[in-house]
Amino acid sequence: MNTLHRSTLLAVAGTALALSLTACQSDSGGTSSSRPTAAATVASSPAADATTAAEDTVTSGAAGPAASARSAGAKGATGSTGGRGTASTPVCTARDVRVGAATQDGPPYTHIVLTARNTSGHSCRLAGFPHVQFLESHKQDVPAVDRSKPATPVVLTAGAPAYALVKLSDGGVDEDNEPVSAFSVQLEGDSTVIAVTAPGNGGIAVDPAKALTGYWTPELRNGADDF
């Protein structure tokens, strides 16, 4: 092979190599600029928007007996307390909740805790305080303690509980206590009477002159409910 022929072949090979590199660079640049980033895909996903909205309805910083219910709600399960209520959120009625009672501290058992759990399958607002009547001989409602009133409305999602502390007596042996095995509770704005069984095998002892009730709250708060 003579020198002129070899030079011609080298020149053709170099030109082909340069064109190949140029084409590769062009393809690489086009692919990089046209592919959406992972962050952009997540931000525009309807599922991500729905998750964010659900998390916004859960109040953080739960304490006491309702903490596990809030935690479950934060994970997407029903049963969180304290969601954002609006004027369209219906007020809880006797059909929406199940009310039960348990002793608090003791003995002597001077307080009980009322629990109202939303069994309706939809959110509702639990307004005010429980209207409690312990004895047939005392038809007036047990007075409410204003300082236990929560700062915001109590909104219960499906399955979520709210609590109210009720004082029975001062625990003194000389008090005018009467035995109570069952009592009535009415919710704010609802005339339906809910019959509640008193906790304990022997029921509870109530001094009508000392009885008090707190407002419904998402949890029993130390300090605010001390009465």
Side-chain angles (χ1 to χ4, degrees):
M1 180 180 297
N2 58 36
T3 301
L4 179 59
H5 188 195
R6 184 172 57 188
S7 297
T8 301
L9 289 176
L10 289 175
V12 171
T15 299
L17 179 60
L19 290 174
S20 176
L21 290 174
T22 300
C24 288
Q25 289 174 354
S26 176
D27 290 343
S28 176
T31 303
S32 175
S33 60
S34 61
R35 182 184 297 120
T37 63
T41 303
V42 171
S44 62
S45 169
D49 294 340
T51 301
T52 302
E55 291 173 350
D56 286 344
T57 65
V58 179
T59 303
S60 61
S68 59
R70 285 186 195 268
S71 177
K75 293 178 182 179
T78 59
S80 62
T81 309
R84 292 179 181 175
T86 65
S88 62
T89 304
V91 174
C92 298
T93 68
R95 292 183 176 183
D96 299 322
V97 300
R98 184 178 68 250
V99 179
T103 53
Q104 170 81 353
D105 300 327
Y109 295 106
T110 60
H111 293 73
I112 59 173
V113 178
L114 297 182
T115 301
R117 187 175 298 276
N118 184 356
T119 58
S120 68
H122 60 78
S123 295
C124 64
R125 288 183 290 117
L126 194 58
F129 55 88
H131 294 260
V132 180
Q133 290 187 6
F134 282 116
L135 300 164
E136 287 294 327
S137 58
H138 295 78
K139 287 297 187 180
Q140 66 271 25
D141 293 344
V142 172
V145 178
D146 288 339
R147 70 173 179 271
S148 67
K149 185 176 182 179
T152 58
V154 177
V155 178
L156 301 181
T157 57
Y163 306 92
L165 189 66
V166 180
K167 180 180 178 181
L168 308 176
S169 68
D170 287 335
V173 294
D174 296 328
E175 287 186 280
D176 189 14
N177 294 336
E178 298 186 43
V180 172
S181 59
F183 55 94
S184 66
V185 173
Q186 288 178 273
L187 303 181
E188 190 82 24
D190 187 357
S191 61
T192 304
V193 176
I194 304 171
V196 180
T197 301
N201 294 330
I204 53 179
V206 178
D207 183 347
K210 304 293 179 62
L212 296 169
T213 184
Y215 280 70
W216 294 113
T217 56
E219 68 277 333
L220 289 176
R221 302 161 298 163
N222 293 332
D225 291 331
D226 289 341
F227 56 85

